[in-house]
Amino acid sequence: MDNEIIFDSSINELQLLEFLVGEEFFGINIAKVSEIIRFTELTPVPSSPEAIEGVFMHRDKLVTVIDLHVVLGLPRNEEEHGNGLFIVCDFEQFSVAFHVSTVLGIQRLTWSSIEKPPSVSKSSDDGITTGMAKLDDKIIMILDFEKIICDLSLTDDFENDNFDNIDIPDELDLSKHLIIAEDSPFLCKVLIDALRNVGFKNIHAFYNGLEAWDYICSKKGQPNLKNEVAAVISDIEMPQMDGHTLTRLIKEDKELKNVPVFMFSSLIHENMRGRGDSAGADGQFARSQIGELIAALNEHLTK
């Protein structure tokens, strides 16, 4: 696996692992995948949701298996029962394996070739799909894996109903405008609710880095730019323009370079932190660190 390609923020590219669930094409950023293994015998989890197929031990880790056929409501042939592949992913404190029919390979794409799902799509309405890649003969849907695991109550990382312990400085102007770039409707709502809960009033959310960049550029030249674009919170993987590219464009612009930019992503790890630092990010936070993100935001906005 060529990490220099996968994580290179200067080329706005990703490598998408393509797989089948039933006869439908789906994809996941290869940066989220730790390994792919064959189906193995599972221990059932009593009283668990139907989509949780069971658990197994792998490399001294307990791995929960989610059957994407059940999650997506797609039929699985009888001969596929007990077969297929597990796409193993590590989400901060735990590991999850997504049970798929087969893995087809890796597609190297630019983020600009990833489009938002149409609003008529059922998966778009409930936030399960965050993007789609159009290739010559097919469409690959990109799933919101964080929402899937949260809907199945596998994690409380996104709970945001208690921020009473966050210190809000008296001098902090909570009317300053914050910009969010996040392709997951579910995570975007979590973040907005958290920010509003501590008192921020003006929050502008965009589905991808390009939309956020266009909005930010529209504010250039205004005398109150520091208030109109007080800070940016960005995901890393997004259609049209990824978060590292957005950060780099802001930091290379003479008028915008002092705007604080914070990365907020499940892809925060050692390699990715290096890319964020190179792009000029002022802070990088995992999905479970909303409180730490808000504390850093408060600190930068009161400097």
Side-chain angles (χ1 to χ4, degrees):
M1 185 182 301
D2 189 350
N3 287 338
E4 291 305 311
I5 294 176
I6 293 171
F7 298 124
D8 191 343
S9 63
S10 66
I11 58 177
N12 200 31
E13 286 189 351
L14 78 155
Q15 291 189 34
L16 196 68
L17 182 68
E18 181 186 3
F19 59 89
L20 284 175
V21 179
E23 297 183 354
E24 301 294 328
F25 297 93
F26 296 94
I28 181 172
N29 189 336
I30 195 69
K32 291 184 175 181
V33 178
S34 59
E35 59 185 310
I36 302 166
I37 62 176
R38 294 185 180 277
F39 184 94
T40 187
E41 290 300 319
L42 304 175
T43 300
V45 179
S47 303
S48 62
E50 181 185 1
I52 297 180
E53 220 171 337
V55 296
F56 70 101
M57 292 298 298
H58 183 65
R59 303 186 191 280
D60 297 323
K61 288 185 178 180
L62 182 68
V63 182
T64 301
V65 178
I66 297 175
D67 189 348
L68 285 184
H69 301 84
V70 175
V71 172
L72 298 169
L74 295 174
R76 183 173 58 188
N77 297 332
E78 284 301 319
E79 57 266 26
E80 291 181 2
H81 184 71
N83 293 304
L85 294 173
F86 291 160
I87 299 175
V88 183
C89 305
D90 293 322
F91 290 92
E92 297 185 54
Q93 303 301 320
F94 62 97
S95 296
V96 173
F98 296 99
H99 186 182
V100 304
S101 298
T102 190
V103 172
L104 300 177
I106 295 175
Q107 298 284 354
R108 181 174 172 178
L109 305 167
T110 62
W111 279 113
S112 60
S113 67
I114 309 297
E115 299 182 11
K116 181 179 179 179
S119 59
V120 295
S121 167
K122 177 183 177 182
S123 57
S124 174
D125 292 340
D126 61 20
I128 291 179
T129 301
T130 62
M132 57 184 187
K134 292 183 178 180
L135 301 182
D136 293 337
D137 57 346
K138 58 190 170 186
I139 296 176
I140 302 175
M141 305 303 292
I142 302 173
L143 299 174
D144 188 341
F145 292 92
E146 286 88 349
K147 183 178 190 303
I148 291 173
I149 63 174
C150 194
D151 284 350
L152 293 172
S153 300
L154 293 180
T155 176
D156 59 0
D157 284 351
F158 308 120
E159 292 294 332
N160 66 317
D161 56 354
N162 184 13
F163 291 93
D164 295 336
N165 60 339
I166 295 179
D167 182 30
I168 305 299
D170 293 337
E171 64 271 25
L172 177 61
D173 182 359
L174 292 170
S175 68
K176 288 185 175 182
H177 293 245
L178 307 180
I179 314 301
I180 296 176
E182 170 61 69
D183 68 334
S184 167
F186 165 71
L187 290 174
C188 190
K189 182 179 185 302
V190 168
L191 188 52
I192 290 173
D193 288 348
L195 292 168
R196 285 179 175 165
N197 193 65
V198 297
F200 286 101
K201 300 177 177 63
N202 297 306
I203 304 168
H204 307 273
F206 299 92
Y207 177 76
N208 60 57
L210 182 59
E211 292 178 356
W213 173 243
D214 288 344
Y215 176 83
I216 292 168
C217 287
S218 73
K219 300 300 179 180
K220 291 175 61 175
Q222 297 189 14
N224 59 344
L225 175 64
K226 192 172 181 179
N227 285 330
E228 291 293 318
V229 186
V232 176
I233 301 171
S234 177
D235 188 11
I236 292 176
E237 54 169 357
M238 295 179 289
Q240 299 299 301
M241 180 187 291
D242 68 84
H244 287 153
T245 301
L246 173 63
T247 302
R248 180 170 48 80
L249 288 173
I250 292 172
K251 294 302 182 179
E252 290 178 352
D253 187 283
K254 292 181 179 179
E255 193 173 350
L256 301 170
K257 63 182 180 181
N258 292 323
V259 173
V261 182
F262 302 99
M263 311 306 301
F264 180 61
S265 171
S266 60
L267 294 178
I268 298 299
H269 47 66
E270 185 177 354
N271 284 335
M272 195 62 80
R273 284 187 185 279
R275 300 300 173 185
D277 290 341
S278 296
D282 295 275
Q284 301 181 69
F285 300 91
R287 297 300 197 191
S288 60
Q289 297 178 302
I290 295 181
E292 291 91 332
L293 167 64
I294 294 176
L297 179 66
N298 293 344
E299 179 182 355
H300 277 74
L301 293 183
T302 52
K303 286 182 178 179

